[in-house]
Amino acid sequence: MRPAVVFGLLHAGLAVVRSLGRAGIPVEGIALQRHEFGLRSRYLRRRTVATSDEDVLAALRHAAAKGERPVLFLERDQNVELVLRRWDEVREIADVPLPDDPEAVRRLRRKDLLPEVAAEAGVPSPFTVRAESPDQIRDSRLQPPLLLKPLEGQEFALAFGEKAFVANDLDEAVARWKQARERGFETILQELVPDSHEHVYSLFTYIGREGRPLASVVGRKVRQGPLRFGTSAVFAAGHDDEVHDLGLRVLAAVDYRGLAHVELVRDARDGLLKVIEVNTRPPVWAGIATGPELGIAKVAYDDLSGRPTAESRTMTEQLTWIYLAKDMWVSAQMARRRELPAREFVRHYLRRKKVRATFAADDPAPAVAALGYLRSRV
């Protein structure tokens, strides 16, 4: 049986490790930091903390030492970025759930290019311009409030504790642009869809080597942190044909293959769903899709290993993914703002079908190690 290597061992990476390990697949893990709590999973047969690209390549070669090509799963943007940097070397060793053309990956990841891809697919997106100078920002003709976002990657959020800056006028947009520029970030300026944080929907899918979506799940953000423009603290799966179809159209515009997460927002002004982000990796709430209801990681592994795959499947079960520690923090802030009634807070906790972000009865150590991760984030 071919080994699987999971590069990135936080929430999504841990979910992939557990899913493959429970299926009897030999799994090895690579982390970039010792506080990545998935390193503690009992389902890993080998663990590597990499401090360089060379360490990652060496771990892949070790996995392939017995003559079996590993299947490499990537958790976060920084993991994808390393593969893009060392594209030929990685693909010589391993199979990766990404398309053969790295340009397809870049066109989806870069927020200045994504609107072009969406237009080719016939899918709306918020008005967006590249923010390269104060004059360009003032001449953009976008109506405040505005969002200033990084061109790509997760380093912006790590640097500022926010995924995007909100600017209430053009002068504030320029000031925020200068703040990001000083830290080395390229940015885009985008119209802020009113109340967008209440209507963010997602498609997470695996598109197989033959171009068919083999496993898909749709849902929406319930609560997120940082507030309004953050990653999920609570995510609820629930099928929506429109979200599913529009997400696949965006991916088809670049002939995409592999794992992808498409995020859209419902604009109350015109009722349209508009694409705001595409990640060429699993979302933080991937645990919803890696369980027995869908098994998206096993589907990808089988397809990339040349094994027979089942017919295309879209999950219809209504599961809720909960990151308890983060939701406590987010919910407390919302409660202070009087934005979260007690009944709404407990509603998702009372559902019978829940997926926990870190805890698993058959693999408890990562949940304990996650406390150290939280301390490092604070």
Side-chain angles (χ1 to χ4, degrees):
M1 186 173 287
R2 292 174 61 176
V5 178
V6 181
F7 182 21
L9 295 169
L10 296 175
H11 304 89
L14 174 61
V16 172
V17 167
R18 286 171 169 166
S19 177
L20 298 177
R22 288 166 182 155
I25 296 165
V27 187
E28 301 186 10
I30 305 174
L32 293 175
Q33 302 289 338
R34 292 190 179 278
H35 64 236
E36 294 187 31
F37 44 83
L39 285 166
R40 299 289 300 279
S41 175
R42 64 185 287 260
Y43 290 108
L44 288 176
R45 70 175 186 179
R46 187 170 186 270
R47 301 159 178 82
T48 298
V49 178
T51 58
S52 68
D53 291 8
E54 300 306 327
D55 288 345
V56 174
L57 292 171
L60 288 175
R61 293 188 187 103
H62 183 278
K66 294 182 179 179
E68 294 287 349
R69 272 177 77 83
V71 177
L72 175 62
F73 290 86
L74 308 170
E75 182 188 32
R76 292 165 63 81
D77 286 338
Q78 62 197 121
N79 309 126
V80 176
E81 286 160 9
L82 186 148
V83 170
L84 291 174
R85 282 197 305 271
R86 309 299 289 265
W87 184 258
D88 292 336
E89 293 160 282
V90 169
R91 286 168 59 86
E92 182 181 351
I93 306 168
D95 291 308
V96 191
L98 290 173
D100 291 334
D101 182 4
E103 185 60 26
V105 179
R106 294 188 178 96
R107 290 188 71 200
L108 293 174
R109 282 164 45 85
R110 286 177 58 108
K111 294 182 180 68
D112 59 334
L113 301 180
L114 180 58
E116 297 176 7
V117 176
E120 292 170 14
V123 178
S125 61
F127 293 115
T128 303
V129 298
R130 183 81 177 267
E132 295 181 313
S133 69
D135 287 343
Q136 188 180 44
I137 291 172
R138 291 194 169 95
D139 293 341
S140 66
R141 299 184 181 179
L142 295 181
Q143 295 299 312
L146 303 170
L147 288 177
L148 194 79
K149 294 182 176 182
L151 213 59
E152 59 181 322
Q154 294 169 300
E155 289 81 4
F156 185 95
L158 294 174
F160 295 109
E162 301 176 76
K163 288 184 67 177
F165 290 149
V166 179
N168 293 307
D169 55 46
L170 293 176
D171 287 339
E172 186 177 1
V174 169
R176 288 298 208 173
W177 173 82
K178 290 179 178 177
Q179 185 180 357
R181 190 79 166 186
E182 288 169 359
R183 300 288 290 272
F185 291 103
E186 295 181 272
T187 52
I188 56 117
L189 197 65
Q190 188 175 82
E191 67 166 336
L192 174 58
V193 176
D195 299 320
S196 57
H197 61 285
E198 298 283 354
H199 307 284
V200 178
Y201 301 87
S202 291
L203 165 72
F204 177 35
T205 188
Y206 175 72
I207 299 177
R209 293 173 302 159
E210 303 301 321
R212 292 188 300 117
L214 298 180
S216 302
V217 58
V218 169
R220 73 174 188 91
K221 281 183 181 177
V222 177
R223 289 189 286 276
Q224 59 189 301
L227 294 181
R228 289 175 170 77
F229 307 105
T231 57
S232 293
V234 178
F235 186 91
H239 188 63
D240 183 299
D241 284 333
E242 187 181 9
V243 174
H244 179 267
D245 294 346
L246 291 180
L248 290 180
R249 280 167 56 184
V250 171
L251 298 176
V254 297
D255 198 25
Y256 192 82
R257 304 286 189 276
L259 291 168
H261 167 223
V262 183
E263 208 166 53
L264 305 105
V265 62
R266 178 78 70 182
D267 191 336
R269 296 171 298 182
D270 53 22
L272 297 177
L273 277 170
K274 299 178 179 179
V275 63
I276 54 174
E277 189 167 323
V278 177
N279 299 307
T280 56
R281 54 169 176 79
V284 66
W285 48 266
I288 278 182
T290 57
E293 295 82 4
L294 187 64
I296 195 169
K298 178 64 163 50
V299 170
Y301 173 87
D302 287 344
D303 182 59
L304 292 171
S305 299
R307 294 177 160 202
T309 54
E311 291 297 314
S312 301
R313 184 176 175 204
T314 299
M315 196 174 89
T316 57
E317 289 86 349
Q318 295 189 346
L319 301 182
T320 300
W321 179 89
I322 296 175
Y323 183 6
L324 178 61
K326 185 171 188 174
D327 192 37
M328 293 295 104
W329 172 63
V330 168
S331 297
Q333 294 178 72
M334 294 179 68
R336 284 196 293 270
R337 295 167 176 241
R338 297 186 178 180
E339 296 176 352
L340 183 65
R343 180 180 298 179
E344 175 61 21
F345 169 73
V346 302
R347 182 164 66 90
H348 292 280
Y349 286 87
L350 296 177
R351 285 189 173 186
R352 291 182 61 188
K353 291 191 173 184
K354 296 186 288 292
V355 177
R356 295 175 176 87
T358 58
F359 179 76
D362 65 333
D363 189 29
V368 177
L371 299 176
Y373 168 74
L374 287 172
R375 284 196 294 270
S376 75
R377 297 286 289 173
V378 172

